[in-house]
Amino acid sequence: MTRSIDTSGIDGIIGYRLRRAQMAVFARFMKRFAAAGIKPAEYSVLILAADNPGLRPSDMAAALGIQRANFVALAAGLEERGLIERRAAEADRRSHAIHLTPAGAKMVRDIRMIQDKFEAEFVAELGGPAERDLLLKLLEKLG
Amino acid sequence: MTRSIDTSGIDGIIGYRLRRAQMAVFARFMKRFAAAGIKPAEYSVLILAADNPGLRPSDMAAALGIQRANFVALAAGLEERGLIERRAAEADRRSHAIHLTPAGAKMVRDIRMIQDKFEAEFVAELGGPAERDLLLKLLEKLG
DNA sequence: TATTGTTATACTCTATAACTATA
DNA sequence: TATAGTTATAGAGTATAACAATA
């Protein structure tokens, strides 16, 4: 037996709606990138590595809003798969420099194409590029 | 040494932006509700219990988009704190009926007031009620 | 003293399978 | 057989403290 449920007390709450939307989008991301074997966090690391060669782990973690301690396993996984490498830095011997490997560069080309198509679906669902831009602008104001 | 980082490859991605916004909003929620001892998921359960007396755990879990197995501990915690109770249902002896206790009803009044003020801050940050409504409408299209 | 990468650890959230008692 | 609540469990994600090497 199904029953009609009053959700009016929560479905107008921004935080609740953000959570539901994020869960739905990430679930779709996981399906779409399953063949490539890339999760959302890995995608962002690879893209930042591609666009910022030599970046330090600490700076990348900060840019992504994650703890640098939690970044270690994330980067180690990508390094084990031969997608990035962490070289010893020249100036400061404490820090590392993150670089894409050739295989990582190829992966970035692939996943950028997948992502472009994936994003286009959301844009269509939102109603168009103007709606997408509006959404991003509003989200930016929240954090 | 701080370095300028190119994040253009990810900061226009809806999923990434949703995650960052949701993390920020939830972190603020946790601080604001710390005195009441209520987390986001607990808030939604209490509100649904208030607005749907006698609702079954399975239906509530489905409405919240969580597994019913994971709902058990959530409801048990609220019951241990004396905020809800799970009564044996009359018709179907397999199912339970969730009800607020008097303490739970008082808690709901309190947290609704906290939430109203909390939400008003986001509305102001977004630019007004029209922008909030627009955001909710766009989020709804995503899940 | 402070910072970088790292390890260890605990806590939370989520997903899945299987059990029990009812239907 | 199917369903409701539950248990058990494993996998992620996240946060904090502390350490060795280096600055």
Side-chain angles (χ1 to χ4, degrees), chain B residues 121-138:
Chain B
E121 296 179 7
F122 290 120
V123 174
E125 290 167 21
L126 288 172
E131 283 76 9
R132 186 264 319 271
D133 293 345
L134 195 48
L135 174 60
L136 292 177
K137 215 183 77 180
L138 292 169

Side-chain angles (χ1 to χ4, degrees), chain B residues 49-70:
Chain B
D51 295 344
N52 302 271
L55 194 61
R56 299 183 313 150
S58 286
D59 289 336
M60 187 176 293
L64 293 174
I66 64 181
Q67 308 296 322
R68 69 189 196 283
N70 295 328

Side-chain angles (χ1 to χ4, degrees), chain A residues 24-44:
Chain A
V25 169
F26 268 40
R28 285 172 64 178
F29 183 102
M30 295 287 277
K31 279 191 186 179
R32 191 61 61 93
F33 286 80
I38 295 296
K39 288 183 285 189
E42 294 170 336
Y43 182 90
S44 57

Side-chain angles (χ1 to χ4, degrees), chain B residues 19 23 56-58 68-69 86 94-96:
Chain B
R19 171 181 166 269
M23 294 280 289
R56 299 183 313 150
S58 286
R68 69 189 196 283
R86 291 174 287 185
R94 288 173 303 184
S95 72
H96 291 174

